[in-house]
Structures are given as C-alpha cells and as structure tokens.
Amino acid sequence: MRSLLRLFTRCGVSALRTLLLCSLLFGITASAQAPPDEQPAADAADAAPAWDFGDEEEEAAPTLLEHARDQALDIGLFLAFATLVMVSFLRKSVALKYVTLVFAVIYMGRYKAYMLSVVNVFGVLGGATSAVSIGLPGGEPATTAGISGALASSLPPFVFSLAWYAFAVFAVVTTIIWGRVYCGRVCAFGALTQLIDAVVPKRFQIEIPAKLEARASYIKYGILFGAIALYFITHEIAFYRYIEPFWLFTLDATPVLWVMVGVLLVASIFVRNLYCRFLCPLGAALGLISKATTVLPIKRWSECSQCALCEKTCEWGAIRKRQILKAECVRCDDCEILYDDKKRCPHWLLELKRKTRAALRPGTTA
C-alpha cells in the first residue's frame, strides 16, 4: 500500500512540474508576442481620427472554440494518429508498430513536420531563467527580454496551433507515464531509421561491443548540455539544424546540411538507429525525464535477474547487466513481446516445470 501511495505521489509531483512548465511557457509566449514599441491604448485613441460612429459595434475576437472548429481537420488527424500509436503500443503488435512508423514518416514528418526539438528544451529552460531573473532584485531587463524573445520564437501561437500543442502534451504525458514512447513511435526521423533497419540485411549491420556502446551513449548528453550552454551564451538557436536532422522532411537546407544528413543516413545502414542511440540531444532530454518520472516501467519476471536473453534481444542497448535503463529504452516492444512468449521466455519454461513437479507429488490432485 505504501509503495502504491509513493507511486501516485511521484506521478502527481511530475505532472505538477510539467503543468507549471507549460503554464510558464504559455504565459511568456503570450507576453512576448506583443510588439515592444506598442503604445498605450490612451495614446492610440488620441492619435486616431476624430470620427464618431457610436452606433457601430466592434467585431468580437474569435473564441477558442471557433479557432478549434477552423482547425478541426488538423486536430482530428493528430488524434487519429495518436490513437494508432497507443493501440500499437498497448497491444504489442509488431505489424501495427510498423504501420505506425510508416504513418509517422508520412504524416508527422512530411505532411505536418511535427517534431519536438532541442529548441523546445531551450524554451523551457529560458522561461524558467526568465522567471527567476524577474523575481530577483536587480534582475537585468535586457537579459530577460532576450531570453523571452528566444522562447517566443521556439513555440507557435497557441490559438492557431491547437493540434501542435495537443501533440506536445501527448509527447510529454506519454514520456512521464511509460518512458520514451515518443522516440520509439512518434518521431518521424526515428521512425525512418527504424524502417531502414528493418529492410537492411543483417549481414550489413555492425554489432558494437557492449562496453563501447555504453560509453558512446553518453555522447548525446554531451551534445545536449553543450547546446544548452551555447544557447545561454549567445541566445541564438539557428545552430540547432547542425545537431538535429529533423529539417530533412521539409526538404529545405544548405548543401552542407544535405551532405551531413546523407552521411548520417548511410552510416545508419551499418549502425542501426545511430542518431537516436548516440547523437540525439532531444532523446537525451527525454531520457532524463524518463529516468526520473516513468510511472509504468516495463514489468519483469524474477528470473530476469539471471537470464540475459532479453539483453541479447534488445537492439537499442537499453538492457545492460540484466537491468533496463529507462533513459535509453524507447519502448520498442522487443523485450515485452519476449516476456509474453511462453515458448522462448525461461520464466514460462520454469513455471511449467514447477507446475509439472507439483502435479506429480504424492497426494496432489490433477
């Protein structure tokens, strides 16, 4: 009972933190959208021509519901895709998983270009820093304005981007509850590399030694913290295109960027999911959230402390020394499907032996 209470408390604290961050983002974005040289209403009234049309009614601003109606198609398409993601994830269906990956590339990547980015991490951290700067005595207005401006540029206007915000909330909530579901099924670039991995013959793929893989997995954290440091030093975000290839689906880039992404995709043929496993700063950020807040981790059998079959099955390097690393796991289903396989998983074989021995004991009824 105590463990259950701790679980709900942990979930509540994580959800509260996320809610506060989102509220902070929306508030600063709204304030940053106003032009800096905007004049007070009284000055605008004085400057207006002296015409008086008292009988005319001012046109009311569109309500949020009206904005939602205008964006109904986008919202409906995203909800359909989110439903497909959750059905394929909860049913542990390999076929549905690959259908989801195809739709992620087509819909999330090419059609809408909906992807989270390290720029959104800058926005969260910039908003928190801005709030602290405003609250402290002697806070520097220029620094606060610079951070708020960068934050505003990293998020679309709320009322005109309801589907995008539904997507962002979906990504954050699923990460808090299950872990990096976003990386394993929603991200269009991750879906593309998984599809490449599925069609490339296994003989072309290089198996990275476990020790090297463990060390290489820290590269993405170095990229993440280096990018954050550069952002706070320069207050620029344009460099993100050189550490994230998500722009690929917009087909808009310089020759240098095209060469870089070409090399990355060719390398992904030989090292499966190369970018997601070792280089993605957003994956590193979501991994840190997963490690701290995952409410429903993968269930394991008691025999998992001895058997290494799932460790050999995992293609993401997320199981090391028989322990699942929440920061690296993308909930790809491979180990969970194995756990349910009564012909392969040693747990079920041992369970069958225990039942057989119990049935053969004297005095035991069938």
Side-chain angles (χ1 to χ4, degrees), residues 65-236:
L65 180 59
E66 290 173 335
H67 282 294
R69 288 173 180 169
D70 293 339
Q71 302 169 57
L73 178 60
D74 280 346
I75 295 172
L77 287 174
F78 171 73
L79 291 179
F81 176 73
T83 301
L84 175 62
V85 169
M86 293 312 302
V87 169
S88 69
F89 172 65
L90 295 175
R91 293 193 61 181
K92 309 304 175 190
S93 169
V94 176
L96 280 178
K97 172 187 172 181
Y98 283 103
V99 170
T100 304
L101 295 178
V102 170
F103 274 91
V105 173
I106 296 174
Y107 169 68
M108 298 295 291
R110 188 69 187 101
Y111 179 63
K112 295 302 296 183
Y114 278 169
M115 274 167 284
L116 294 181
S117 168
V118 71
V119 174
N120 302 127
V121 177
F122 299 159
V124 173
L125 297 177
T129 304
S130 179
V132 171
S133 177
I134 292 172
L136 290 176
E140 297 182 9
T143 302
T144 302
I147 293 175
S148 299
L151 170 62
S153 65
S154 70
L155 293 171
F158 177 72
V159 294
F160 299 110
S161 309
L162 297 178
W164 188 92
Y165 280 95
F167 151 72
V169 170
F170 175 77
V172 172
V173 170
T174 53
T175 301
I176 290 174
I177 297 177
W178 292 286
R180 291 170 58 185
V181 175
Y182 172 82
C183 296
R185 275 180 169 76
V186 180
C187 174
F189 190 83
L192 176 63
T193 58
Q194 289 185 72
L195 292 173
I196 291 175
D197 179 54
V199 300
V200 170
K202 298 298 181 184
R203 65 178 181 274
F204 292 155
Q205 296 177 338
I206 301 172
E207 291 293 336
I208 300 178
K211 290 184 178 179
L212 178 59
E213 182 176 37
R215 292 185 177 91
S217 65
Y218 290 105
I219 296 175
K220 59 181 176 288
Y221 296 99
I223 296 174
L224 171 64
F225 292 121
I228 291 173
L230 183 59
Y231 164 72
F232 276 103
I233 291 171
T234 65
H235 299 304
E236 295 291 339

Side-chain angles (χ1 to χ4, degrees), residues 356-365:
T356 302
R357 288 173 184 171
L360 295 176
R361 286 175 188 169
T364 303
T365 57

